[in-house]
Amino acid sequence: GYLKLYHPNNAQLGMATMRAGVTHWHAGLIEVGHGMICKAYAILLITHGPSHPITKDLETMRMQTEMELRMFQQNEYIYYSMREAALQNQPMKMMAEPGEEAIKNLFRKK
């Protein structure tokens, strides 16, 4: 709706896109959220300038979603386990590397 009403570089459109992007990001839809946050950043960079606190916060969010998206694309399981740990305010737990004996037991003996 806003895209039809406002000019492409309207500050209200940028703020609405930012809110929608953050909502998607928090809901776990990283790709959509990152795209919206990038669009909002581009708009607010023009309307508010690079030194405005909202623009600076949005730049931080953009970098964070970019890192999370990269992590998600590399290893989905680790991303979700880190996300759950962060949401529950717990430290990240990593599984120990399997020992030599465990690796040998993975393969069938003839």
Side-chain angles (χ1 to χ4, degrees), residues 2-20:
Y2 285 124
L3 292 172
K4 293 180 182 179
L5 294 174
Y6 294 119
H7 184 271
N9 289 329
N10 185 287
Q12 289 178 316
L13 178 62
M15 294 299 290
T17 306
M18 178 183 74
R19 283 191 299 273

Side-chain angles (χ1 to χ4, degrees), residues 4-109:
K4 293 180 182 179
L5 294 174
Y6 294 119
H7 184 271
N9 289 329
N10 185 287
Q12 289 178 316
L13 178 62
M15 294 299 290
T17 306
M18 178 183 74
R19 283 191 299 273
V22 169
T23 302
H24 280 87
W25 175 31
H26 288 189
L29 303 172
I30 290 188
E31 293 180 23
V32 177
H34 179 67
M36 291 181 133
I37 287 172
C38 287
K39 286 179 188 175
Y41 180 69
I43 293 170
L44 294 177
L45 200 57
I46 293 168
T47 60
H48 287 61
S51 61
H52 194 279
I54 293 175
T55 310
K56 289 180 180 178
D57 288 345
L58 203 48
E59 168 66 11
T60 304
M61 281 189 269
R62 192 187 65 76
M63 289 189 302
Q64 178 70 30
T65 56
E66 188 175 330
M67 287 189 295
E68 286 186 23
L69 183 59
R70 202 173 296 136
M71 183 186 300
F72 176 77
Q73 290 169 341
Q74 287 175 355
N75 192 332
E76 207 170 315
Y77 172 75
I78 289 180
Y79 167 75
Y80 281 120
S81 61
M82 286 183 71
R83 189 175 194 285
E84 283 303 313
L87 289 174
Q88 295 173 3
N89 257 352
Q90 296 174 348
M92 176 60 189
K93 298 174 188 161
M94 296 295 285
M95 291 175 53
E97 288 189 34
E100 194 173 312
E101 194 64 33
I103 293 173
K104 288 179 183 176
N105 291 335
L106 285 174
F107 303 103
R108 293 185 196 153
K109 296 180 182 177

